[in-house]
Amino acid sequence: MPIDQGERKARILALLDSVPDPEIPVISIRELGILRDVLFDGDAVEVIITPTYSGCPAMYAIEEDVLAALAAAGIDNARVRMVLSPVWTTDWMSVAAREKLRRYGIAPPGPVPRDEQGAQVVKMHFVKARAPVLPACPLCGSPNTELLSEFGSTSCKALYRCVSCREPFDYFKPY
Amino acid sequence: MASAAHVDYLLRLGDNALILGQRLSEWCGHGPVLEEDIALSNIALDLIGQARLLLAHAGSLMPVPQTEDDLAYLRDQFAFRNFTMLELPNSGLEKGQQQRDYAFTIARNFLFSVYAVEQWTALSTSSDVQLAAIAAKSLKEARYHVRHATDWMLRFGDGTDESHHRAQAALVALWPYANEFFSTDATEADTAAQGIGVTGASLRPGWQATVSSVIAQATLKEPPPSHFSSTGKLGRHSEHFGFLLAEMQSLARAHPGAQW
């Protein structure tokens, strides 16, 4: 890539770093791993994003926010393209992003459980002694938490309750 | 230029997601408890998202390209390719039953989502690159669907007399419709040969192993095999399907081309 294009790309990526996730405004789409690349087609700018959950309605808002951010910076000839592969995973979330989540009151995702081949596994059977992965309470830090609902306020989150401080909290599920 | 079998195969995948998504959406606001209302709505949302990706892909490969909306809202019965099991009413199959039946809904999710995990795992290496990408994604979501459904099958089966009885009745009613998952036909044979798809028959052993294990753990009885085979994936649907389409499509058909 010619030097000026490389610089252009870096500037646009930095600009788009200011676009937050619509549901979790403390993290940017870049930190979440949704923003994947910026390509050039002559004068036109093409922003590549990867969707999270298949039905995630926030992706519309993200697309609009990206175009709005570019337009505000004077870049009108832009489009957003959704690319499914490589598939988005919470493993792409940076350590800094996880800490921001926790401070916002959302327990960050644990590592995606994988087998020896690296393929993702999800325990299929109910374990009588509660779900094996218990996130720590993002409010008081206690490990003594319990699952309220596998599906929370959004597809990506589950609902837990802290047994110590009795506050409910969202958990960002490993994906 | 995609073959007719390729497009047909994609429509089957997309329609399964769309029609089950539609049925689960009917629970929104009517769940037995708030957490389950939210769970089923979220599962429906995942499925509808998958349907959008699959139908958009299928539509793009047609001789005259169609959008996901064209396919969801403007096709008639004979053009839909979903498994009949997924279009059955949430109230179950007993005559005169009007009330939504949670055991029936969960048992259906159980039987189908275990199949979906097998299917998406196999399709993650499809020679159709876009399908492989959709499969890798749908697999992650299907695994959470399986976990939700199997949790409830175990609670129902190994629960009270009433929950056990209802779960057993649901399994018995749904079991014959599972045969359709595994019957091979020209579309499947064709696309499997091209490395695009997989035959349902190849997915049966994995499905059977998981299903039998969960049923046993739930202290339920596996229904005996039946020779019945439903034909939804061939476009020949049950008497319930017309009503489902009427509800799903009437608004779009009343206002053609309308935009939000």
Side-chain angles (χ1 to χ4, degrees), chain A residues 2 12 14 16 21 43 46 49 55 93 107 140 162 164:
Chain A
I12 291 175
L16 293 177
D21 179 280
D43 262 336
E46 192 181 46
I49 59 175
M93 230 185 263
C140 76
C162 180
S164 295

Side-chain angles (χ1 to χ4, degrees), chain B residues 132-212:
Chain B
I134 295 171
K137 189 163 200 53
S138 304
L139 177 57
K140 290 168 176 274
E141 292 155 10
R143 283 188 167 124
Y144 280 115
H145 302 170
V146 167
R147 185 153 83 179
H148 177 261
T150 56
D151 274 7
W152 277 107
M153 287 304 291
L154 287 162
R155 285 194 196 102
F156 286 155
D158 194 11
T160 65
D161 284 345
E162 178 171 5
S163 71
H164 180 97
H165 166 79
R166 284 174 181 248
Q168 186 65 52
L171 268 184
V172 167
L174 288 162
W175 199 254
Y177 291 92
N179 288 332
E180 192 186 349
F181 296 177
F182 310 112
S183 56
T184 303
D185 65 344
T187 290
E188 285 189 9
D190 220 306
T191 51
Q194 294 176 64
I196 293 167
V198 287
T199 63
S202 67
L203 305 175
R204 184 162 218 159
W207 179 87
Q208 187 68 62
T210 302
V211 164
S212 296

Side-chain angles (χ1 to χ4, degrees), chain A residues 51-55 60 84 87-88 120 123-126 128 148-152 154-155 173-175, chain B residues 35 38-39 42 45-46 49-50 52 134 137 140-141 143-144 146-147 150-151 154-155 158 213-214 217:
Chain A
T52 55
Y53 281 71
S54 292
Y60 290 115
L84 297 182
V87 65
W88 182 77
Q120 184 183 357
K123 210 157 165 42
M124 302 261 252
H125 295 195
F126 184 67
K128 301 220 160 144
L148 287 181
S149 177
E150 285 273 16
F151 294 86
T154 57
S155 286
K173 292 186 288 191
Y175 187 85
Chain B
E35 288 81 3
I38 291 170
N42 271 310
L45 187 60
D46 283 347
Q50 291 168 20
R52 293 195 59 203
I134 295 171
K137 189 163 200 53
K140 290 168 176 274
E141 292 155 10
R143 283 188 167 124
Y144 280 115
V146 167
R147 185 153 83 179
T150 56
D151 274 7
L154 287 162
R155 285 194 196 102
D158 194 11
S213 166
V214 173
Q217 265 200 56

Side-chain angles (χ1 to χ4, degrees), chain A residues 19 28 49-50 68 77 93-94 98 127 131 147 163 175:
Chain A
V19 176
S28 78
I49 59 175
T50 295
N77 191 359
M93 230 185 263
S94 64
R98 288 160 197 274
V127 177
L147 176 70
V163 178
Y175 187 85

Side-chain angles (χ1 to χ4, degrees), chain A residues 6 68 70 94 96 100 142 155 174:
Chain A
L70 292 173
S94 64
K100 285 184 188 176
S142 168
S155 286

